[in-house]
Amino acid sequence: MNKENALYQQDLRNIVSMPGIETLHGKTILITGATGMVGTHLIDALMLLGDVKVYAVGRDKNRAIDRLGSYYDSPLFTFVEQDVCNKFPSDIKPDIIIPLASNTHPLAYSQYPVETMLINIKGAEHALNLAVETGATVLYPSTVEVYGNAIGEDTFSEDYTGKLNLSTSRSCYTESKRSAEAMCQSFIAEKGAKVKIVRLSRLFGPTMLMTDSKASSQFIKKALAHEDIILKSEGNQLFSYTYITDAVRAMLHVLIYGEVGTAYNISCESCDVRLKEFAGLCAQYNGKDVIFELPSETERKGFSVAQKAVLDNSRLRSIGWTPLYNMKEALWRTLDIIAS
């Protein structure tokens, strides 16, 4: 991906021109999972904003050089090579902490369920302890998966609890995120921590990792390769998706305007689509077809069993946020940027 692509630069400008962004000037922000899809896009925006000191935390310095290397000479940027399961260095004094580090795709859930749990739980613990020590505000990125499976045709509001399944290792992600949210609320109640929570829908965008095994990412990679789209189900699952720029805008909006201790769903109504519709748009980009194929046993272990996961974003809209992109525009924008 060429970060100088005009569409990508427009995306970044749409973030740094959002209302209230000036309140971040002069702040020090620590971001874990810095080389992931969200972390990379967020840091690109913050570096464009300027006058914000960024500590980017990641385990892989080579990936960091590849994804964020253009910032290494900036006095506003520091890369910290560290596993988030370890305590942060004592000399880092952030104003804001955004702990994005997590395994977030099915193959990781299937192959590394223990690691997945520890990254989420220990990562949240160390972020919260640092916040208490420094007085920092934590923006905790949670997930649609904390709601479990929908009961009937329900849509997920922030107080929803669906059906849960603890009988497989696939619950490593869901339950560790639920535990991390409970830890956030516990730190607020017991230690006076300042924590705001966002629950992200399924995300897509040009900063996706090519190793991402999510179905949506596989569809995008097939479209980029001018190949037919392989769909390993009937594709009737109805999910909320959000373009990465809208997701980052929403996260920063909650950071600026949200209430401590409150969770906010991040979704975009025009991007609530069935899996086969997502696949169809990817195929349409290059005039290809959608082909239905059964998954392997390894793939199946990492799949969500959810058939409907649609987020109600009324609470987020009530504090003044609105999305910018519809599904086709955002998806084809993603493909155009990555292909550049």
Side-chain angles (χ1 to χ4, degrees), residues 15-16 18 20-34 38-58 68 75-80 88 91-100 127 130-131 134-141 248 251-253 255-256:
I15 296 171
V16 301
M18 59 181 283
I21 196 72
E22 65 277 0
T23 62
L24 299 184
H25 284 297
K27 302 296 186 184
T28 296
I29 304 178
L30 185 150
I31 300 167
T32 73
V38 181
T40 298
H41 197 51
L42 174 59
I43 290 170
D44 285 344
L46 292 174
M47 295 306 294
L48 179 62
L49 179 64
D51 194 26
V52 176
K53 171 65 177 176
V54 174
Y55 282 96
V57 181
L68 303 168
L76 295 175
F77 180 87
T78 300
F79 177 69
V80 181
F88 294 109
D91 59 339
I92 299 178
K93 308 292 184 185
D95 300 297
I96 297 163
I97 302 170
I98 306 177
L100 286 163
L130 181 61
T134 62
T137 295
V138 175
L139 179 67
Y140 185 73
V248 168
M251 290 171 65
L252 293 176
H253 194 90
L255 176 64
I256 296 164

Side-chain angles (χ1 to χ4, degrees), residues 272-284:
D272 293 345
V273 298
R274 297 192 183 279
L275 194 62
K276 61 186 177 184
E277 294 170 331
F278 193 112
L281 285 171
C282 288
Q284 183 184 343

Side-chain angles (χ1 to χ4, degrees), residues 8 12 15 31-46 67-68 98-101 104 139 141-142 198 200-209 212 214 242-245 247-249 251-252 266:
Y8 190 71
L12 298 181
I15 296 171
I31 300 167
T32 73
T35 61
M37 177 166 63
V38 181
T40 298
H41 197 51
L42 174 59
I43 290 170
D44 285 344
L46 292 174
R67 304 271 278 179
L68 303 168
I98 306 177
L100 286 163
T104 57
L139 179 67
S142 189
V198 290
L200 296 161
S201 62
R202 289 162 168 81
L203 305 183
F204 66 95
T207 51
M208 59 174 271
L209 293 167
D212 192 333
K214 289 194 294 290
T242 308
Y243 183 56
I244 188 63
T245 301
V248 168
R249 287 178 58 254
M251 290 171 65
L252 293 176
I266 293 179

